[in-house]
Amino acid sequence: QVRLVESGGGLVQPGGSLRLSCATSARTFRMHKVGWFRQAPEKEREFVASFWWDTGDTVYADSVKGRFTTSRDAAGNKVFLQMNNLDPEDTAVYYCASGLKSTVSVRSQRAYSDWGQGTQVTVSS
């Protein structure tokens, strides 16, 4: 089973930025899609963004479009989520997930087979 590890969470003021990293225990993320999800207290886990390694295609939730960007490193085993202009509504535990190609929408948790443990992001003054 592939192990994913997120890092980069923390406390930031409204309007600030954070960059999350997702590293894989596999040799590479090639042939995979990587998704970012978040779960706020007492809310369901929701889709944030996805990144197709081989094509570079990205999909974003409307709530983060224009503020968040997902990208990869050149070595092939890390994906990043750059979060700008953060709002208290962005406070949540953020998870990365990976999965092979499937017919399931990248916005669905069912499209991913491996998950990280999550990293806390808190936006507060």
Side-chain angles (χ1 to χ4, degrees):
Q1 184 177 359
V2 174
R3 180 169 160 260
L4 304 178
V5 179
E6 303 97 337
S7 61
L11 173 64
V12 64
Q13 292 188 341
S17 298
L18 280 175
R19 189 176 81 155
L20 305 184
S21 297
C22 176
T24 178
S25 62
R27 215 156 43 107
T28 177
F29 273 124
R30 287 186 176 88
M31 305 293 290
H32 285 72
K33 57 185 178 288
V34 178
W36 291 95
F37 290 78
R38 67 186 181 185
Q39 187 166 18
E42 300 182 0
K43 290 189 177 180
E44 296 202 352
R45 191 173 297 187
E46 65 175 2
F47 170 77
V48 174
S50 69
F51 178 86
W52 270 104
W53 192 270
D54 294 325
T55 64
D57 290 344
T58 55
V59 177
Y60 296 96
D62 288 344
S63 58
V64 307
K65 204 173 291 184
R67 300 187 299 123
F68 291 12
T69 304
T70 185
S71 61
R72 69 183 191 191
D73 75 333
N77 56 11
K78 273 190 181 178
V79 173
F80 305 105
L81 182 68
Q82 177 67 41
M83 306 185 295
N84 298 327
N85 193 22
L86 283 161
D87 184 90
E89 291 290 311
D90 296 315
T91 295
V93 176
Y94 283 71
Y95 300 88
C96 69
S98 70
L100 294 171
K101 187 176 181 179
S102 74
T103 58
V104 180
S105 168
V106 296
R107 297 175 184 268
S108 170
Q109 296 180 54
R110 295 187 295 110
Y112 305 89
S113 55
D114 300 292
W115 290 78
Q117 82 289 350
T119 185
Q120 176 70 47
V121 171
T122 302
V123 185
S124 175
S125 54

